[in-house]
């Protein structure tokens, strides 16, 4: 048996699994959106002409973008410190970041339900110190969704960036310093350009992750802060509008794939180590 | 030479870790509270809410389902993923470069879209039983983990050892099981356990494929939260955190947790 044949035979079960149970069903979902009797693009016209659906799309983009910006900022600063800690403390901090990452999204969103609720911990605390007279309504706001999403994605950002920042040799900053660069200049001109590809990879993970999330907007945003994920579920399983749900799904796939493709191209272009 | 870290950054890092771990401490505290509502710090200590988990059949039943599903889905994805990872690492020249990306698709396509599409095509379309559709869905979403983690192990494996065994007359299959497999054991265990926890925590696939008869623990938790707000949910969450700790211990002992920063 030739090596080529053997290689293909070994990979075939996995290829079939992805093709049959991912490729075909997702293509079928796309096909559903073009099968409307009013014309192939009528479902998309309906989507983009509906004020409500566009509100949901923009809200989702906004939440995902704000989540990404905050997570990148917090993640970068934290990873910078973690990467520079001595071995033992570094391992402890990595453990502290992995623990929430591997804890389920339901548990992690639930924690914020307990903290931000009307009778929640934050309200009780603020009432007890007399900072507020009435409990605040913090749940089911854009803010509560963003806080919980940042909570979800900061560990991912830290772990991605610790690896990237560790990969930047100390010699580089030392060389910059010995050539007269101030620490700030060395950071801006040496470290940051080398960290950019990693930052982009992390940012894409956070953006697509929050753009397509379901459990967090469901628990902390509810009906009032409907996002694409919860909207898709509602259309599919509550109103049984499968064509509408498929259209939402297609829009989600297009946004996600476009983000991934454009940003990974940008990451390659901006990588000073490449070429 | 050591770079000095600005004190503001140190403060920020401390705050970040308080932000990351605080909410989990809140859950643990409220699970122990001797009150019928969720509160923190706990008022009085009790393990009553942990005992209560086992009084609610919906929880014990879905715990069983989730566990079986995670083991089954991961095993299936391992059986399919290990040969693929082996082919990708061993026959790099013979296989097209894009093939590696095919196995990343389950992460690239939004999970909720995949869940909806599987429900539409499998459960509703060809009438596949829900448990089977769930199994396939979970095997699919953990495939990228199994292929990637096992692949990482295989990339650092020296295939000339296997060639030596084969050239000395050992059948290829036997060489794989006696020479390759023992050398990538760490990757297989770590891949299994990471896939297991991913499946156990899954919401977006399961939410579409669970029905009145069959449900998973995260979905049951979501449903329970919308009706009741007692410390039982917190105690189930603590149990799930216990699973996370066990998973971390296994990963640390096999590939090391720093593997997750690569």
């Amino acid at each position: 048996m030739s090596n080529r044949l053997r290689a293909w035979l070994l990979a075939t079960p996995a290829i079939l699994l992805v093709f049959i149970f991912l490729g075909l069903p997702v293509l079928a979902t796309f096909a559903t959106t073009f099968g409307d009797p009013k014309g192939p693009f009528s479902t998309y016209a309906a989507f983009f002409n509906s004020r409500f659906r566009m509100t949901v799309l923009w809200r989702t983009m906004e939440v995902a973008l704000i989540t990404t910006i905050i997570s990148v900022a917090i993640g970068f600063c934290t990873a910078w410190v973690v990467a520079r800690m001595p071995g033992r403390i570094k391992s402890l901090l990595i453990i502290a970041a992995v623990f929430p990452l591997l804890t389920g999204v339901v548990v992690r969103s639930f924690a914020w339900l307990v903290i931000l609720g009307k009778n929640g911990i934050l309200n009780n605390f603020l009432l007890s110190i007399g900072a507020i007279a009435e409990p605040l309504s913090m749940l089911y706001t854009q803010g509560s969704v963003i806080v919980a999403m940042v909570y979800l994605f900061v560990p991912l950002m830290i772990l991605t960036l610790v690896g990237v920042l560790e990969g930047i040799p100390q010699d580089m900053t030392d060389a910059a310093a010995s050539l007269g660069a101030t620490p700030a200049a060395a950071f801006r001109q040496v470290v940051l350009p080398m960290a950019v590809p990693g930052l982009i990879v992390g940012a894409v993970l956070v953006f697509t992750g929050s753009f397509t999330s379901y459990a967090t907007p469901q628990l902390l945003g509810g009906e009032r802060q409907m996002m694409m994920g919860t909207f898709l579920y509602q259309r599919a399983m509550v109103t049984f509008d499968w064509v509408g749900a498929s259209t939402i799904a297609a829009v989600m796939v297009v946004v996600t794939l476009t983000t991934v493709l454009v940003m990974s191209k940008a990451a390659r272009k901006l990588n000073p180590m490449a070429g | 030479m050591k770079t000095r870290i600005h004190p503001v950054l140190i403060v920020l890092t401390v705050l970040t870790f308080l932000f990351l771990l605080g909410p989990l401490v809140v859950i643990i505290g409220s699970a122990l509270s001797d009150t019928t509502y969720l509160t923190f710090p706990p008022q009085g200590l009790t393990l009553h809410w942990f005992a209560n988990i086992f009084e609610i059949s919906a929880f014990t039943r879905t715990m069983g389902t989730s566990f079986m599903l995670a083991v089954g889905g991961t095993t299936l994805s391992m059986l399919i993923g290990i040969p693929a990872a082996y082919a990708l690492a061993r026959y790099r020249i013979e296989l097209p470069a894009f093939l590696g990306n095919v196995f990343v698709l389950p992460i690239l396509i939004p999970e909720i879209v995949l869940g909806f599409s599987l429900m539409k095509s499998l459960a509703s379309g060809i009438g596949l039983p829900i448990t089977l559709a769930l199994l396939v869905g979970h095997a699919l979403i953990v495939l990228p983990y199994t292929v990637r983690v096992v692949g990482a192990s295989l990339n650092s494996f020296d295939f000339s050892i296997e060639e030596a065994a084969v050239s000395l007359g050992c059948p290829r299959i036997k060489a794989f099981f006696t020479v390759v497999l023992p050398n990538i054991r760490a990757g297989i265990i770590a891949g299994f356990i990471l896939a297991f926890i991913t499946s156990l925590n899954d919401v977006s696939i399961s939410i579409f494929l669970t029905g009145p008869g069959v449900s998973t623990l995260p979905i049951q938790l979501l449903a329970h939260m919308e009706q009741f707000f007692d410390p039982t949910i917190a105690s189930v969450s603590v149990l799930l955190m216990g699973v996370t700790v066990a998973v971390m211990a296994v990963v640390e002992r096999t590939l090391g947790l720093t593997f997750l920063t690569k």
Side-chain angles (χ1 to χ4, degrees), chain B residues 1 13 45 50-52 77 111 113 128 156 158 180 183 204 246-247:
Chain B
M1 191 179 109
T13 304
L45 289 177
F50 285 91
N52 197 44
S77 127
E111 225 184 278
V113 171
L128 202 69
S156 54
D158 182 359
V180 182
N183 277 296
S204 296
V247 165

Side-chain angles (χ1 to χ4, degrees), chain A residues 165-183:
Chain A
L165 291 172
E166 274 183 331
I168 298 176
Q170 180 83 46
D171 296 356
M172 294 270 193
T173 40
D174 289 352
S178 74
L179 290 171
T182 60

Side-chain angles (χ1 to χ4, degrees), chain A residues 29 32 78 81 102 151 218, chain B residues 13 16 19-20 117 120 201 226:
Chain A
T29 296
T32 312
T78 311
V81 175
L102 292 181
Y151 182 65
Q218 169 70 22
Chain B
T13 304
T16 305
F19 170 68
L20 287 184
S117 303
K120 212 156 54 72
N201 287 329
E226 280 168 13

Side-chain angles (χ1 to χ4, degrees), chain A residues 3 6 8 10 14 21 25 29 32 77-78 80-81 93 102 104 106-107 121 151 159 163 212 214 218 233 242, chain B residues 9 12-13 16-17 19-20 26 80 83 91 94 96 103 110 117-118 120-121 124 136 140 172 201 203 207 226 261:
Chain A
N3 279 349
R6 192 177 291 126
W8 278 105
L10 287 167
F21 294 110
T29 296
T32 312
C77 297
T78 311
W80 172 259
V81 175
L93 292 178
L102 292 181
V106 174
V107 172
I121 288 147
Y151 182 65
L159 292 172
T212 61
Y214 170 77
Q218 169 70 22
Y233 180 79
W242 283 11
Chain B
L9 282 178
L12 198 98
T13 304
T16 305
F17 281 99
F19 170 68
L20 287 184
V26 164
I80 290 172
Y91 303 111
E94 284 86 352
F103 306 121
S117 303
L118 282 174
K120 212 156 54 72
S121 305
S124 170
V136 169
L140 199 55
R172 280 197 173 268
N201 287 329
V203 173
I207 191 92
E226 280 168 13
T261 65

Side-chain angles (χ1 to χ4, degrees), chain B residues 231-256:
Chain B
T232 315
I233 310 169
S235 53
V236 177
S237 301
V238 174
L239 285 191
L240 284 170
M241 285 185 222
V243 178
T244 306
V245 172
V247 165
M248 286 172 68
V250 173
V251 175
E252 176 63 29
R253 278 174 158 244
T254 48
L255 291 185

Side-chain angles (χ1 to χ4, degrees), chain A residues 73-92:
Chain A
I74 297 180
F76 187 79
C77 297
T78 311
W80 172 259
V81 175
V82 172
R84 260 145 203 81
M85 283 288 151
R88 226 187 144 68
I89 301 178
K90 192 199 281 177
S91 331
L92 275 177

